[in-house]
Amino acid sequence: MQARKSVAALAIVAAFAGGAVATHYSGMPAHAAPALLVAPTVPGTSLPDFAAIAQTYGPAVVNIAVSGTRKTGFDVDDEHPLAPFFRGMPGFRSGPQGEVPTQGQGSGFIVGADGIVLTNAHVVQGASEVTVKLNDRREFRAKVLGADPTTDIAVLRIEAKNLPVVVLGDPAKLRAGDWVVAIGSPFGFENSVSAGIVSAKGRSLPGETQVPFLQTDVAVNPGNSGGPLFNMKGEVVGINSQIYSRSGGYQGLSFAIPINVALKVKDQIVATGKVAHARLGVGVQELNQSLAESFGLKRAEGALVASVQPGSAAERAGIRAGDVITKVNGTPIGAAGELSAFVGTAKPGDKVTLEVLRQGERRDIAAVLGAADVGKAAKAAAEPKGGGGRLGLSVRPLTPEERKQVNVQGGLLVEEAGGIAARAGLQPGDILLMAGGKNVQSVDDLRAATTGNGTVALLVQRGDARVFVPMRLG
């Protein structure tokens, strides 16, 4: 599909997972290509042999073409009081909206010889038809078994047998500085190979708190979305997902979803067609050195609990504001985002043991994770995945009590604002009442009003004041 935007700028291709990942996919047939157990080098040199990886596993990388429709114009009647504001804006038309066909592309890779394909959720978002093209030029109509916007993972199935498959590795074994290889279809150039190194692991991007991204400097561009990231043994360790860029193109920062995160999502989708994420029910913040010292920590590591939501798993377990969560199931928590990533990809009902520092004393607290309310903090973006996304907004519908308190009929509460939204002046706590001349009652309303480019007017209530805020989309 069309490339995603990150909070910093354009994201062209975008959860902690416990336990090691099996080296081989459970459904892998006996004839599947074996992993390159020793990192290959070019004969006579110490340079990595990227060609060996491309030749061995390139056939399992696929091109994904999608088609659908999108609405055009603003559905504003000539008599509407906002019509003068919108007249002359790109895409403005009076009367009902029309639809135009759209096309997009991305990448993916085969993990099951029976036709299971992994890609990004944003690649197939809004698609009415998905076509998977193999390296040998065969094409198949694909069925989207499910897509999880929280982790940006989608699972497809094609009707084919004895397909080439990749071998899956363990991203936990990667080190900063290790070589990695991406194969995908940037700008439609199928099976393009690019290489680089791992820059860092466990990155928590703004608004993307449930995925501990692998950061690399591998060149990825539009069309690389959903393609595999290989280690030097030829094992897939990640799914290329996002970049940070000020130009809209690759500038040396690319991010991949760890494959163990994708496998958890894939297993749920294949089994049930949907994904359930867990919820602890705490608001956490990062520790700086001053805060760490005030809590008796030698290092600024852990997740500082700023709030505990009533009725949540955290409240039932006895977690308190001011606690510092330092470990989950024995795994150290270095940053607050690591806790969010762990919880976000766990399952409701999972039992966890939290090591907590409270008033200078460490204690273990057992908790049973609850279920995340997907409507609680749905994300507004040009893709189903939220957490920043195109607009940089995290919003949720107002509760009946909140609507009564602020005297509005609908609206969305801004929980996070970054990127485009922050540049427009939006802030957490703002209430979005209208977008593109329409009342905003749901996240889908906001999505529909903020597709395409140009400028859209948002009616915002901040405190007792209401004001229109123009936001340029691109």
Side-chain angles (χ1 to χ4, degrees):
M1 267 313 262
Q2 193 67 24
R4 295 178 61 199
K5 289 187 179 180
S6 69
V7 174
L10 192 68
I12 57 170
V13 276
F16 186 98
V21 176
T23 302
H24 297 275
Y25 175 69
S26 59
M28 183 174 294
H31 66 270
L36 303 172
L37 299 180
V38 178
T41 58
V42 177
T45 76
S46 59
L47 298 175
D49 190 357
F50 303 126
I53 295 172
Q55 291 172 2
T56 304
Y57 296 108
V61 181
V62 301
N63 173 264
I64 298 174
V66 299
S67 60
T69 61
R70 67 176 177 85
K71 292 184 177 181
T72 60
F74 298 105
D75 188 9
V76 180
D77 188 87
D78 283 331
E79 302 302 321
H80 194 284
L82 291 179
F85 175 84
F86 288 105
R87 189 171 290 113
M89 290 176 57
F92 172 80
R93 56 179 289 172
S94 61
Q97 292 178 310
E99 289 189 346
V100 296
T102 61
Q103 294 182 332
Q105 61 185 7
S107 302
F109 53 99
I110 305 169
V111 296
D114 58 349
I116 296 295
V117 176
L118 289 184
T119 186
N120 284 146
H122 76 265
V123 168
V124 297
Q125 180 257 334
S128 57
E129 183 176 308
V130 180
T131 302
V132 170
K133 181 187 291 187
L134 273 59
N135 185 257
D136 60 10
R137 301 301 177 184
R138 287 185 291 167
E139 295 185 10
F140 298 88
R141 183 75 59 85
K143 177 181 180 181
V144 180
L145 297 183
D148 178 40
T150 301
T151 54
D152 197 25
I153 298 297
V155 182
L156 315 180
R157 182 188 290 279
I158 59 177
E159 294 299 327
K161 302 293 183 182
N162 300 318
L163 294 170
V165 297
V166 298
V167 173
L168 306 179
D170 184 358
K173 295 180 180 179
L174 288 175
R175 304 168 300 169
D178 281 347
W179 284 99
V180 282
V181 174
I183 302 179
S185 303
F187 302 107
F189 294 105
E190 300 168 10
N191 281 80
S192 297
V193 182
S194 54
I197 62 170
V198 176
S199 303
K201 300 196 305 179
R203 289 295 196 207
S204 295
L205 304 183
E208 307 277 1
T209 56
Q210 295 188 357
V211 177
F213 287 97
L214 302 172
Q215 179 187 331
T216 78
D217 67 352
V218 176
V220 291
N221 285 288
N224 275 113
S225 303
L229 184 72
F230 294 92
N231 64 16
M232 285 298 96
K233 292 182 180 180
E235 301 166 333
V236 173
V237 290
I239 301 179
N240 295 310
S241 176
Q242 297 192 36
I243 67 167
Y244 263 33
S245 173
R246 293 180 177 176
S247 68
Y250 169 73
Q251 289 188 308
L253 288 173
S254 54
F255 298 89
I257 303 163
I259 193 62
N260 49 2
V261 173
L263 290 181
K264 283 192 170 185
V265 173
K266 185 269 298 179
D267 289 343
Q268 289 194 58
I269 287 177
V270 171
T272 67
K274 59 183 180 181
V275 180
H277 293 283
R279 176 172 175 262
L280 180 58
V282 294
V284 295
Q285 69 181 82
E286 297 288 356
L287 287 164
N288 57 30
Q289 188 60 41
S290 297
L291 282 172
E293 291 175 357
S294 68
F295 285 100
L297 291 167
K298 294 181 179 179
R299 296 182 180 180
E301 296 177 341
L304 174 60
V305 177
S307 62
V308 177
Q309 297 167 358
S312 66
E315 184 184 58
R316 292 191 296 270
I319 301 294
R320 303 176 186 173
D323 286 347
V324 179
I325 300 175
T326 55
K327 291 183 180 179
V328 178
N329 290 346
T331 300
I333 297 296
E338 295 176 13
L339 175 66
S340 301
F342 177 88
V343 173
T345 51
K347 294 180 181 179
D350 283 356
K351 297 179 180 179
V352 297
T353 300
L354 307 173
E355 182 184 274
V356 172
L357 181 68
R358 178 182 296 168
Q359 296 179 346
E361 295 183 0
R362 295 183 185 271
R363 61 183 70 192
D364 288 337
I365 296 179
V368 179
L369 299 176
D373 181 359
V374 295
K376 176 76 174 178
K379 310 298 184 177
E383 77 274 15
K385 181 171 174 45
R390 187 186 188 202
L391 303 182
L393 274 178
S394 172
V395 299
R396 65 170 174 83
L398 293 169
T399 65
E401 293 79 9
E402 289 170 336
R403 289 199 298 268
K404 183 177 180 180
Q405 183 179 1
V406 296
N407 193 28
V408 297
Q409 297 300 314
L412 299 174
L413 178 66
V414 176
E415 294 191 326
E416 299 174 11
I420 295 173
R423 290 194 291 273
L426 294 182
Q427 302 173 8
D430 287 347
I431 299 173
L432 301 183
L433 300 175
M434 299 182 68
K438 291 185 175 181
N439 290 329
V440 174
Q441 303 289 343
S442 67
V443 175
D444 287 339
D445 291 343
L446 184 59
R447 286 195 184 104
T450 54
T451 58
N453 297 319
T455 302
V456 62
L458 305 177
L459 179 59
V460 177
Q461 178 165 320
R462 182 176 297 164
D464 294 329
R466 295 185 179 185
V467 61
F468 277 105
V469 176
M471 182 165 62
R472 185 167 182 79
L473 301 177

